[in-house]
């Protein structure tokens, strides 16, 4: 083997190591939707929020999973899921959001109101009217009436 | 050679990213309850010192300075309380924060009384009081948090950042070592991670995790405000808007909170 081929071989091997490390980084879920897609309760709020692109339903089932397993997730993750389903705007999300309209956490109820306003429709409106009327929090009532 | 250097750089970057991920996971796993030493201080100090704690939400620097002056006047007399120097140091940290707000965002509206005070002098006076208190109470965690905030208030660019930054970090570390459940020490760390550039250890993701942990135990306008600032910096506008409104509700007279609320509202309107 010439010096040049040795050098090329070393470079190829180093690139292989780098690629393996890149794969490992992706596998940790820090740079992908891996945790959201695995319905992993340790998913970060940023990952959940990033899944909320208007009209993009790719992660909708995972977002609905977060909303229907409220107790398994941190409140900020549930709030991010509500923001995402609101942004995606698919009407199938209305019952999932509405189910959290009496949650103990003000932040979650506020995001429910914001999401239902974005989602719209008769069912969402009915929940918003009740929230505007009954919720204990000024912030939530205000978001539900806007 | 170039290929090898590129590979080394890429590997280093990935290792840093991996370490950040692990650090994040470790932070997320820490779930012990924090406590609020400033609420305790507000209870324990008397009516002379209490305005230092109660006037900050409205950025009422006149009331804070008046209380500081009264506490300084009784130093060395029989009327002096053991906590006075701690309260005074906290007061100077607040005055430094208020002055910084006007300096950065509304210089024309800077009150003459604040303009007459040099930012560095405010911090030095506070640091002298904090050092005197720490000498008598070396195991007191929160005085090191106050020290960190005062040192951080002296950062005015790269040069001072290179000296005061590490000193502030050292003081925060000491505060946390002495009391890992000190909520305001974790808040100060979150603030530092929010404000610092990445090259100096700044990390908005970490700031967010720290602030989220603080707000579980301390429902205070300042925590709400920094949550909003951090979400805003991460372009998570619904969350930034919620916390900006929470901060405004808790500190309706605070000009910095009001300014940020307007900024987030404008961003949301632009986005629609």
């Amino acid at each position: 083997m010439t010096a040049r081929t040795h050098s090329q071989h070393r470079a190829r091997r180093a690139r292989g190591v780098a690629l393996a490390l890149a794969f490992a980084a992706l596998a940790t879920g820090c740079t992908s939707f891996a945790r959201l897609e695995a319905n992993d309760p340790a998913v970060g709020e940023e990952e959940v929020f990033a899944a909320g692109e208007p009209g993009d339903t790719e992660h909708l089932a995972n977002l609905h999973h977060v909303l229907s397993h409220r107790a398994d997730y941190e409140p900020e993750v549930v709030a991010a899921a509500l923001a995402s389903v609101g942004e995606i705007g698919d009407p199938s999300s209305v019952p999932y959001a509405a189910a959290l309209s009496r949650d103990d956490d003000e932040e979650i109820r506020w995001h429910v109101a914001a999401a239902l306003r974005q989602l719209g429709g008769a069912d969402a409106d009915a929940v918003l009217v009740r929230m505007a009327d009954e919720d204990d929090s000024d912030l939530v009532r205000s978001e539900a009436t806007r | 050679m170039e290929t090898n250097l590129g590979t080394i750089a890429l590997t280093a970057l990935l290792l840093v990213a991996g370490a950040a991920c692990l650090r994040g996971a470790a932070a997320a796993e820490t779930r012990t309850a924090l406590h609020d030493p400033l609420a305790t201080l507000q209870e324990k100090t008397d009516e002379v010192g209490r305005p230092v704690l109660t006037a900050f939400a409205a950025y009422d620097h006149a009331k804070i300075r008046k209380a500081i002056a009264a506490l300084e006047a009784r130093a060395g007399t029989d009327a002096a309380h053991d906590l006075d120097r701690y309260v005074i140091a906290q007061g100077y940290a607040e005055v430094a924060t208020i002055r910084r707000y006007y300096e950065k965002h509304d210089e024309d509206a800077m009150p003459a009384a604040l303009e007459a005070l040099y930012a560095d002098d405010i911090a030095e006076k506070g640091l002298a009081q904090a050092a005197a208190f720490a000498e008598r109470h070396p195991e007191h965690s929160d005085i090191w948090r106050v020290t960190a905030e005062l040192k951080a208030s002296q950062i005015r660019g790269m040069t001072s950042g290179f000296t005061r930054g590490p000193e502030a970090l050292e003081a925060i570390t000491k505060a946390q070592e002495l009391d890992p459940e000190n909520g305001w020490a974790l808040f100060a760390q979150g603030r530092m991670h929010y404000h610092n550039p990445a090259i100096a250890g700044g990390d908005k993701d970490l700031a967010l995790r720290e602030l989220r942990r603080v707000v579980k135990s301390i429902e205070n306008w300042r925590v709400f405000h920094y949550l909003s600032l951090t979400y805003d910096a991460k372009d998570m506008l619904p969350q930034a808007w919620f916390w900006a409104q929470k901060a405004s509700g808790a500190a309706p007279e605070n000009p910095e909170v009001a300014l940020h609320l307007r900024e987030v509202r404008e961003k949301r309107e632009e986005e629609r």
Side-chain angles (χ1 to χ4, degrees), chain A residues 14 30 45 74 106-107, chain B residues 3 7 21 212 216 231 246:
Chain A
C30 285
E45 59 179 312
E74 292 291 337
E106 180 193 29
E107 182 184 9
Chain B
T3 312
T7 307
C21 287
R212 289 290 330 190
K216 280 180 167 53
Y231 276 122
K246 283 284 285 179

Side-chain angles (χ1 to χ4, degrees), chain B residues 214-234:
Chain B
V214 175
V215 83
K216 280 180 167 53
S217 306
I218 302 181
E219 295 218 339
N220 177 281
W221 66 272
R222 220 171 162 213
V223 183
F224 301 158
H225 177 58
Y226 268 86
L227 269 169
S228 182
L229 288 171
T230 311
Y231 276 122
D232 183 17
K234 290 174 66 61

Side-chain angles (χ1 to χ4, degrees), chain B residues 35-42 86 142 145 181-185 218:
Chain B
H35 69 92
D36 182 345
L38 287 177
T40 309
L41 183 61
Q42 189 175 319
Y86 172 26
D142 204 45
R145 187 273 308 167
E181 274 84 50
N182 180 342
W184 286 110
I218 302 181

Side-chain angles (χ1 to χ4, degrees), chain B residues 90-146:
Chain B
Q90 169 66 24
Y92 278 118
E94 293 172 2
V95 173
T97 301
I98 298 167
R99 195 185 189 287
R100 174 66 70 98
Y101 157 71
Y102 284 109
E103 193 184 307
K104 260 181 89 176
H105 300 290
D106 202 0
E107 201 156 15
D108 293 341
M110 168 104 72
L114 281 185
E115 203 165 11
L117 299 168
Y118 285 109
D120 224 39
D121 289 351
I122 299 169
E124 288 301 335
K125 284 181 184 172
L127 285 168
Q129 296 285 349
F133 185 85
E135 204 176 315
R136 286 172 61 112
H137 304 274
E139 302 301 309
H140 192 283
S141 161
D142 204 45
I143 199 63
W144 292 103
R145 187 273 308 167
V146 180

Side-chain angles (χ1 to χ4, degrees), chain B:
Chain B
M1 186 66 182
E2 274 177 22
T3 312
N4 283 344
L5 280 175
T7 307
I8 289 164
L10 177 60
T11 307
L13 269 172
L14 287 167
L15 286 173
V16 168
C21 287
L22 290 173
R23 191 170 45 158
E29 279 161 18
T30 314
R31 285 286 176 270
T32 47
L34 303 170
H35 69 92
D36 182 345
L38 287 177
T40 309
L41 183 61
Q42 189 175 319
E43 274 172 34
K44 285 189 175 174
T45 188
D46 63 3
E47 67 279 3
V48 181
R50 197 159 295 124
V52 165
L53 287 313
T54 56
F56 188 35
Y59 274 11
D60 189 342
H61 62 92
K63 211 176 255 182
I64 297 167
R65 285 186 298 108
K66 192 177 164 193
I68 289 173
L71 293 172
E72 285 177 334
R74 76 182 187 187
T77 71
D78 289 345
H81 287 205
D82 187 41
L83 293 169
D84 282 359
R85 290 185 185 279
Y86 172 26
V87 179
I88 295 170
Q90 169 66 24
Y92 278 118
E94 293 172 2
V95 173
T97 301
I98 298 167
R99 195 185 189 287
R100 174 66 70 98
Y101 157 71
Y102 284 109
E103 193 184 307
K104 260 181 89 176
H105 300 290
D106 202 0
E107 201 156 15
D108 293 341
M110 168 104 72
L114 281 185
E115 203 165 11
L117 299 168
Y118 285 109
D120 224 39
D121 289 351
I122 299 169
E124 288 301 335
K125 284 181 184 172
L127 285 168
Q129 296 285 349
F133 185 85
E135 204 176 315
R136 286 172 61 112
H137 304 274
E139 302 301 309
H140 192 283
S141 161
D142 204 45
I143 199 63
W144 292 103
R145 187 273 308 167
V146 180
T147 300
E149 293 213 26
L150 287 160
K151 289 199 182 269
S153 78
Q154 292 182 305
I155 297 174
R156 291 262 180 305
M158 290 289 271
T159 313
S160 52
F162 278 124
T163 54
R164 291 308 194 186
E167 288 172 9
L169 185 60
E170 193 185 341
I172 287 182
T173 306
K174 187 159 186 176
Q176 290 182 316
E177 280 169 4
L178 288 168
D179 179 4
E181 274 84 50
N182 180 342
W184 286 110
L186 187 60
F187 170 78
Q189 187 172 298
R191 241 185 112 213
M192 198 177 282
H193 284 134
Y194 168 78
H195 282 295
N196 281 0
I199 197 170
D203 182 339
K204 303 264 191 304
D205 294 346
L206 195 51
L208 186 56
R209 284 195 289 274
E210 288 160 345
L211 293 166
R212 289 290 330 190
R213 190 174 162 221
V214 175
V215 83
K216 280 180 167 53
S217 306
I218 302 181
E219 295 218 339
N220 177 281
W221 66 272
R222 220 171 162 213
V223 183
F224 301 158
H225 177 58
Y226 268 86
L227 269 169
S228 182
L229 288 171
T230 311
Y231 276 122
D232 183 17
K234 290 174 66 61
D235 276 332
M236 296 170 79
L237 284 185
Q239 289 89 337
W241 178 235
F242 171 76
W243 290 107
Q245 290 180 94
K246 283 284 285 179
S248 176
E253 294 172 80
N254 186 296
E256 192 158 15
V257 165
L259 171 69
H260 179 63
L261 184 78
R262 284 197 300 276
E263 285 172 351
V264 177
R265 182 187 290 132
E266 281 165 19
K267 275 191 192 178
R268 274 169 59 87
E269 280 163 9
E270 271 171 32
E271 209 179 55
R272 279 180 195 146

